[in-house]
Amino acid sequence: MPRKSQTESLADENAAPGGVAAVDRALSLLAAFGAGDDGLSLAQLAERTRLYKSTVLRLLASLEHGGWISRLDDGRYAVGPAVARLHMVYAQNFSLDSVVMPVLKALVQATGESAAYHVRQGKERLCLYRVDSPHPVRDHARAGDLLPLGKGAGGRVLVAFDPELGDWLKKERAHYARVRADGYEALVGDRHSEIAGISAPVFRRDGDLAAALTLTMPVHRYDERYVKNVLAAARELGALLPSS
């Protein structure tokens, strides 16, 4: 009597059209490792990928030979040095502006307002990238400007989500608790009486805060419906950024 087949593996469910099944399955093993996994057993790898243990063992032999997987003294498996080498190559060739600018441009096109990417710099925030609104009436911040933390939507988002700024949170504890709960900041006339802003944190794939993505506009054009655009853009950008 033929053996009943096991549930389709994750690799088979997400197979690359026209791709090679063995490569898809090997990549699914590497993808099984997550943050905090210093080592996984054969059983854990089989469970996470939904592959037979015998299949996992064959794939592991090839991955270990290439340095993509290392076998630990206790018999578990860990990510190998080839992954670190590839990450170094990726990091050296990674161009932040080629990732950030298209997202900012798409956000401006969708809303008609100005979009900026702010990073913390000491006790201030730096406008690292910006795309202006096509409207003649807009705020006139520029890439390279230093702005205060704790003022404006972008500054308040950086304070709310940066674990190193705990002392700042004490000043307006309830306000920042709401920002963290909502996942964004929307303010009218906070930094400047005639400017409104909507900002969301950009988190890297490892969960670290990278920046604040901010949409600004004159107060008379403020539209709360743009919150969903800002949140979507921040998530898209975070998925593109490398880990710290």
Side-chain angles (χ1 to χ4, degrees):
M1 187 174 180
R3 186 173 70 170
K4 191 175 182 179
S5 62
Q6 90 171 51
T7 305
E8 191 175 34
S9 73
L10 290 177
D12 293 334
E13 283 184 0
N14 300 287
V20 179
V23 175
D24 287 334
R25 292 171 183 172
L27 292 174
S28 76
L29 280 176
L30 291 172
F33 290 89
D37 288 332
D38 57 349
L40 296 176
S41 67
L42 175 62
Q44 287 175 311
L45 287 167
E47 180 182 2
R48 293 189 183 188
T49 59
R50 300 205 299 263
L51 291 167
Y52 288 114
K53 290 182 181 179
S54 56
T55 302
V56 173
L57 278 172
R58 290 195 300 272
L59 293 170
L60 286 172
S62 293
L63 290 170
E64 187 176 0
H65 178 72
W68 301 100
I69 292 288
S70 295
R71 188 167 187 181
L72 304 176
D73 291 340
D74 61 7
R76 294 181 304 154
Y77 296 88
V79 173
V83 175
R85 184 191 66 79
L86 201 62
H87 178 267
M88 182 179 67
V89 172
Y90 172 70
Q92 288 175 345
N93 290 282
F94 179 79
S95 173
L96 185 60
D97 61 347
S98 68
V99 173
V100 174
M101 288 301 288
V103 175
L104 294 185
K105 289 176 181 177
L107 183 57
V108 172
Q109 186 174 12
T111 63
E113 303 301 346
S114 301
Y117 182 90
H118 295 106
V119 297
R120 180 188 159 204
Q121 187 159 308
K123 294 183 179 180
E124 297 177 295
R125 58 183 164 115
L126 171 67
C127 180
L128 202 56
Y129 299 103
R130 177 179 163 95
V131 176
D132 287 334
S133 163
H135 293 292
V137 178
R138 55 176 173 79
D139 67 309
H140 290 274
R142 298 167 299 174
D145 283 353
L146 281 173
L147 302 168
L149 283 176
K151 278 293 183 181
R156 288 185 179 272
V157 159
L158 290 174
V159 171
F161 291 95
D162 191 327
E164 295 182 2
L165 296 176
D167 289 342
W168 289 62
L169 303 183
K170 297 175 183 176
K171 300 174 184 177
E172 299 177 64
R173 190 182 302 275
H175 179 92
Y176 286 117
R178 179 191 59 75
V179 175
R180 290 194 301 276
D182 292 343
Y184 68 92
E185 178 70 281
L187 294 169
V188 175
D190 186 59
R191 183 175 65 84
H192 190 289
S193 61
E194 297 179 1
I195 300 297
I198 300 169
S199 185
V202 177
F203 293 106
R204 300 179 187 275
R205 280 173 281 183
D206 58 6
D208 284 349
L209 178 68
L213 181 63
T214 307
L215 191 72
T216 56
M217 65 217 75
V219 168
H220 69 272
R221 287 207 306 267
Y222 175 75
D223 191 333
E224 193 172 349
R225 291 175 296 180
Y226 293 154
V227 168
K228 66 178 186 300
N229 300 89
V230 174
L231 288 171
R235 286 193 297 269
E236 178 187 357
L237 189 50
L240 297 172
L241 296 180
S243 300
S244 301

